[in-house]
Amino acid sequence: MYCCAVAFADCGCLTATRKDHTACVPLQSACPVRSLHCPGSWSHNLRDTQRQIKCLEVVARPCSRGPRCFTTCSSTQTAEAPATQGAQTKGHVVIIGAGPGGSTAAILLAKRGYKVDVYERRPQSKQDPVDLKRTYIIALSERGLKPMRAAGVSIPCDAPYKGFVRHLKGGKVQVSPVEGNVSFERAELAQHLISEANRLTPDVKYHFEQGLHSIDFDKQTAMVQTHDGIMSEVQYDLLIGADGVGSTVRSQMEQKLPGMKVKVEDSGREYKTYRGLRADLEPPELRDRPGRSIHIFLGQNSWTSLSGHLNPDGTYAGTLAMKNGEFEKLSTAAEYEGVIRKGVSGVPEHWIADIAEQCLHASPSPQGYGARG
């Protein structure tokens, strides 16, 4: 008996179901993982990906014991799966979603002897205009770097994350230097892991611009659809949904499995992006160190803030965040300038007009969601 479906959102939640649907076990209960979905949670999520792949090794293993095959995973379990001999594989895994979580899972599963096909509804990250507009960076601590090393992924040494800077009222600055971390833009990290999967193993194959349409849990098949409407059927032994907080895999599981329900919570904020600005912002603690830093310019209320991160080329990019619906009230660059001047502390004066103009012509994106089972 195989575990036939797993929902693995960016927030780190996994849920497995038996082929006959007689049991539904939330793996986050067996292997305690916080449910998070925000740019700052990636270091936690990538660490937990490695541990949760070990959960999948337990759950997805053929077993004749019925419901008992859902063995509890201990957080101290560290044994590596035996290497696959010859061309024999443990089974076929289909992963929906080619973000950092999906690619990390694909590499780790291929290393353990599975054939893996990854389906992504959008273009490859480096060619995707949606991803290219995302300006938040992901800082990976040792917890996040560990599973990448376990998968054999190379860790770039040219983009260290050197620290976090808060700009407060009255020109005050709080600096939190950091050592030993690596930083990526989200699209950079996704593309790096895709490139590493292609380099490390022939057992991971990517299919871009093909999204999940539907799942037949009884037949263990998934229907994927291209942008021009062409449908194809894919057979799987294990299906993993790594397609974010709005996971199609999870929503289909909710429809099929009585009692399974995941609540998606909105952060209540949305953001617009800017790029290509320069300033002498680095405090003395960080000025002579290479790498990226993150600056947060705090507002007069908890909803409004501006972020900026230092890129390797010396420019800053970032986001203007506001409460849901507030951007709809702004229709001119002058109105954006007024929000920044009145509502956010410490922004360089020569940035304000450029940020206002870029944000005026940008579309807002949700700041973040959370998923709770």
Side-chain angles (χ1 to χ4, degrees), residues 36-52:
L36 298 173
H37 181 72
C38 66
S41 70
W42 276 109
S43 63
H44 180 91
N45 293 340
L46 290 178
R47 174 200 60 176
D48 293 321
T49 298
Q50 183 186 28
R51 188 170 66 191
Q52 291 171 334

Side-chain angles (χ1 to χ4, degrees), residues 96 132 156 163 183 204 232 245 309 345 348:
I96 307 300
L132 294 176
S183 62
V204 175
S232 57
V245 74
H309 65 259
S345 301

